[in-house]
Amino acid sequence: MMPPYCPTDAPPGEKALFNALASSTATDGWIVLHSLAIASHVRQVQGETDFVIVVPERGVLVVEVKSHSSVKRMDDGRWRLGNQSPTSRGPFQQASEAMQSLRKYMINRGVDLRSVPILDAVWFTHVRARTMLPRSPEWHDWQLLDSEDLRVDAAAAVLRVLTAGGKHLASKIGGFARGGTGPDATTAMRIATILRPKFEAALVHGDIRRGRETQLAAFTDEQYDALDNMQHNRAVLFTGPAGSGKTWLALEAARREAELGHTGRLLCFNRLLGQHLRRETASLTGLRTATFYQEAVRLGGVAVPADADAGFWDRELPDKVIEALLEDGEAEAGDFLIVDEIQDLARESVLDVLDLLVKGGLKSGRVLLFGDFERQAIYEAGDGRGLLRQHIPGLVTCSMAVNCRNLPRIGTVVKKLSRLSPGYRRFRRPDDGVDPEFVLFERGADQSTVLADAVRTLRSDGYGLDEIVVLSPLRNRSAAEVVTDPWLRQILRPADGSAPGPGQLRYTTVHAFKGLDAPAVIITDLDESNVLNFEPLLYIGMTRATDRLTALAESRTLRNSFGASA
């Protein structure tokens, strides 16, 4: 099932069909896409289909689900479903248009559908429509499914439609499926990947690790709305707390622009995040991915001084880049500009450079920005959002509030300790019953023993060393850097952006890991007397953990900052 969980606010008929197909043993090997947005619709600017069911060796079925308890065809030909207003565009027309849109899209992407039945049907999940609705030239009898089909055997009903529909196509199209019908398993996977590429992980089930990957790959309704905002607006600022999916959306935006044949940039602030983004976008043509300052050094053609200070990064380097671009930089302007971590880059000198990197400039160009101005703006200088509005007239803001990353107990602790307002509207991932763990240490004491115990506990819970990251708000002499435990000294390695080797445990600063996440996170050195910007760094560090969070906190800091929550 793609996604593997049905949203709680989905219509009741969609929930019922989703559960029926997911729980049936007859659907093994099938690929079911739920709530698929259709950007290139044959009739509308934007459309959607409720289900696309891909059955290897049988065909593809596009299903329009109607959950209404009453269905009526009026004297004037309009449909009335439940309490909805009458409409001339009936459900069979909706299903047909969705099917034609998807078929056209797949053919344009090079999928061979000559022997693949692509069919559409309407499923009235709450009425016995097969006996209630009269015959009509507007649809075939086999295109109609109802509450009895859902109750008795939903999978068998799908196969019935594919069989009848396949025979219909064979009777109308000479030579259709002469060698048998498809899609074969490879084509079925390709269809699913083309229609919803982010959900390949949802096909793999079994252990906790793969289950986590499945959950993190799923869409939320909020992300669908965000993707719509990308499509319909020239310049958008996506804001939201950590874990709301901003970096994922930035990557998806880059993929979509590249698929349209556009050229442009995906930029960020953090070096490790930049390496992650480069790996994720390595196959995209026409896209340059880097941190802003890496790109600035390249464009300016300057060497970074060994003693480079804030003056170099904030004034000297941007001035060099602007000078180079004004002199001979017309070819550097791309069709689009995407910037993650914009809260750390929203300053005059940076925006002046960005203005020259997109056709039409910031005022008229295609610009998509992603940031958290509430708690992650640890490098922000002044009113970043105000500057963006000055430089980008008509900038649309899209707020994200659904936590897509953290398990609910981690997110709830984050929300309370960081005093997020309004914070997270809800959590997408289900609760697993495990609370974050807070471990005390005395100010100035060696944390090696408690750190080693925390790592061993996570390993006993099934987490590999490569799934654990040790973070610290200290830039120098963190617990991991000065560790005395012999075992930890052998396995600890500074995070450099590459995947850890077997038996290696990564460590780095909270600052450097901003924008990234890991299944299990241990935060050390939580002593407010030694840390500048303690609360924002605590928030950033805690929100890096998708599943398990362990915090090593100095006892007075725990009492002062955590209080009864600890």
Side-chain angles (χ1 to χ4, degrees):
M1 304 296 291
M2 296 178 157
Y5 303 100
C6 190
T8 56
D9 55 354
E14 292 182 29
K15 288 183 181 178
L17 181 54
F18 186 101
N19 292 333
L21 295 175
S23 61
S24 173
T25 58
T27 60
D28 289 349
W30 294 19
I31 304 172
V32 181
L33 284 68
H34 174 229
S35 189
L36 181 69
I38 305 174
S40 301
H41 196 273
V42 296
R43 183 178 183 273
Q44 301 171 287
V45 174
Q46 176 82 11
E48 183 184 28
T49 186
D50 296 323
F51 287 91
V52 178
I53 305 173
V54 185
V55 184
E57 312 303 337
R58 299 297 294 271
V60 179
L61 181 61
V62 177
V63 180
E64 180 72 20
V65 175
K66 297 301 178 185
S67 308
H68 310 85
S69 57
S70 64
V71 180
K72 182 179 180 180
R73 187 72 176 268
M74 303 173 67
D75 292 340
D76 59 4
R78 292 183 298 168
W79 288 79
R80 187 180 186 91
L81 303 176
N83 296 321
Q84 288 185 350
S85 299
T87 176
S88 59
R89 185 168 173 261
F92 291 96
Q93 183 181 354
Q94 294 177 40
S96 177
E97 290 171 351
M99 181 272 289
Q100 295 292 345
S101 301
L102 294 177
R103 186 176 187 277
K104 180 179 178 181
Y105 180 78
M106 287 187 285
I107 290 174
N108 289 339
R109 295 296 302 274
V111 182
D112 185 359
L113 299 176
R114 288 174 294 181
S115 297
V116 177
I118 310 289
L119 305 166
D120 58 273
V122 178
W123 207 315
F124 296 95
T125 56
H126 285 61
V127 296
R128 296 190 177 188
R130 294 179 69 194
T131 57
M132 292 173 57
L133 268 65
R135 288 177 175 268
S136 171
E138 297 179 61
W139 63 84
H140 299 283
D141 291 345
W142 50 264
Q143 290 180 293
L144 179 60
L145 301 111
D146 65 6
S147 58
E148 285 298 286
D149 291 315
L150 185 60
R151 182 184 67 82
V152 175
D153 193 336
V158 171
L159 294 176
R160 185 186 71 227
V161 173
L162 292 175
T163 298
K167 290 179 179 178
H168 170 74
L169 293 176
S171 70
K172 299 296 183 181
I173 304 173
F176 178 79
R178 182 170 297 165
T181 58
D184 58 22
T186 301
T187 304
M189 180 64 74
R190 188 177 178 211
I191 289 172
T193 302
I194 287 174
L195 294 182
R196 187 169 279 172
K198 287 301 294 182
F199 291 101
E200 289 184 45
L203 299 175
V204 184
H205 300 280
D207 58 20
I208 295 175
R209 189 173 298 111
R210 292 179 178 178
R212 179 196 313 124
E213 292 169 357
T214 295
Q215 294 167 9
L216 294 176
F219 276 106
T220 65
D221 294 338
E222 185 176 73
Q223 287 172 321
Y224 277 124
D225 293 339
L227 294 173
D228 288 341
N229 271 311
M230 286 184 195
Q231 179 180 347
H232 300 304
N233 294 283
R234 172 191 63 82
V236 188
L237 170 63
F238 298 88
T239 65
S244 55
K246 299 182 297 299
T247 296
W248 180 89
L249 285 171
L251 283 167
E252 183 66 14
R255 292 188 183 100
R256 293 187 173 206
E257 294 290 339
E259 287 178 358
L260 293 172
H262 299 162
T263 62
R265 286 177 174 80
L266 170 59
L267 303 177
C268 65
F269 180 86
N270 254 19
R271 179 179 61 85
L272 295 184
L273 177 59
Q275 289 178 271
H276 168 71
L277 296 178
R278 279 195 296 276
R279 286 195 300 271
E280 291 293 312
T281 58
S283 62
L284 301 181
T285 58
L287 177 71
R288 181 179 289 277
T289 304
T291 70
F292 169 80
Y293 289 105
Q294 287 170 341
E295 186 69 344
V297 168
R298 183 189 72 83
L299 293 169
V302 299
V304 179
D307 59 347
D309 56 10
F312 171 81
W313 297 110
D314 294 340
R315 295 185 299 275
E316 184 179 341
L317 178 59
D319 288 346
K320 290 283 188 181
V321 176
I322 292 172
E323 181 182 341
L325 290 175
L326 290 176
E327 182 177 341
D328 188 26
E330 185 175 345
E332 292 289 349
D335 299 318
F336 64 90
L337 175 65
I338 301 170
V339 184
D340 196 11
E341 300 183 297
I342 189 60
Q343 76 277 353
D344 296 324
L345 294 167
R347 56 191 69 198
E348 286 284 359
S349 60
V350 171
L351 295 178
D352 288 342
V353 173
L354 296 179
D355 187 57
L356 299 174
L357 296 182
V358 60
K359 293 176 182 178
L362 295 179
K363 290 185 178 180
S364 304
R366 173 70 162 151
V367 181
L368 301 173
L369 308 173
F370 301 83
D372 176 3
F373 288 87
E374 300 302 326
R375 289 285 178 174
Q376 294 196 71
I378 55 178
Y379 303 108
E380 181 184 14
D383 181 9
R385 277 177 288 199
L387 276 177
L388 293 176
R389 295 189 191 98
Q390 292 175 22
H391 283 259
I392 312 175
L395 179 67
V396 173
T397 298
C398 178
S399 298
M400 313 289 291
V402 175
N403 188 307
C404 306
R405 175 193 295 155
N406 312 117
L407 287 174
R409 298 195 184 205
I410 295 175
T412 300
V413 168
V414 169
K415 181 177 179 179
K416 185 171 184 178
L417 298 185
S418 301
R419 294 184 288 278
L420 291 178
S421 179
Y424 302 114
R425 186 165 62 244
R426 63 182 176 87
F427 298 94
R428 181 187 64 189
R429 301 180 64 201
D431 182 22
D432 72 343
V434 180
D435 291 319
E437 183 178 6
F438 297 94
V439 182
L440 290 174
F441 67 86
E442 294 302 319
R443 182 165 294 167
D446 185 2
Q447 300 167 58
S448 297
T449 300
V450 290
L451 176 56
D453 289 344
V455 174
R456 290 189 173 98
T457 297
L458 289 171
R459 291 189 72 194
S460 68
D461 287 343
Y463 291 88
L465 290 175
D466 60 326
E467 295 180 302
I468 305 171
V469 173
V470 180
L471 302 179
S472 172
L474 300 181
R475 294 184 181 275
N476 297 296
R477 297 192 61 78
S478 68
E481 287 181 317
V482 299
V483 68
T484 57
D485 183 272
W487 174 62
L488 286 181
R489 293 182 65 178
Q490 290 181 2
I491 62 175
L492 279 166
R493 296 290 185 275
D496 59 4
S498 60
Q504 293 183 351
L505 174 64
R506 291 172 294 169
Y507 74 91
T508 186
T509 65
V510 172
H511 314 68
F513 210 67
K514 189 160 64 70
L516 300 172
D517 57 53
V521 169
I522 302 171
I523 312 176
T524 65
D525 308 298
L526 291 178
D527 184 344
E528 60 186 348
S529 68
N530 295 331
V531 178
L532 185 65
N533 292 326
F534 178 79
E535 287 192 3
L537 290 174
L538 175 65
Y539 162 79
I540 294 169
M542 290 192 299
T543 53
R544 301 309 96 195
T546 64
D547 289 40
R548 293 291 182 269
L549 172 64
T550 304
L552 310 188
E554 185 270 330
S555 55
R556 278 171 289 186
T557 298
L558 191 66
R559 288 193 297 270
N560 295 340
S561 299
F562 293 56
S565 301

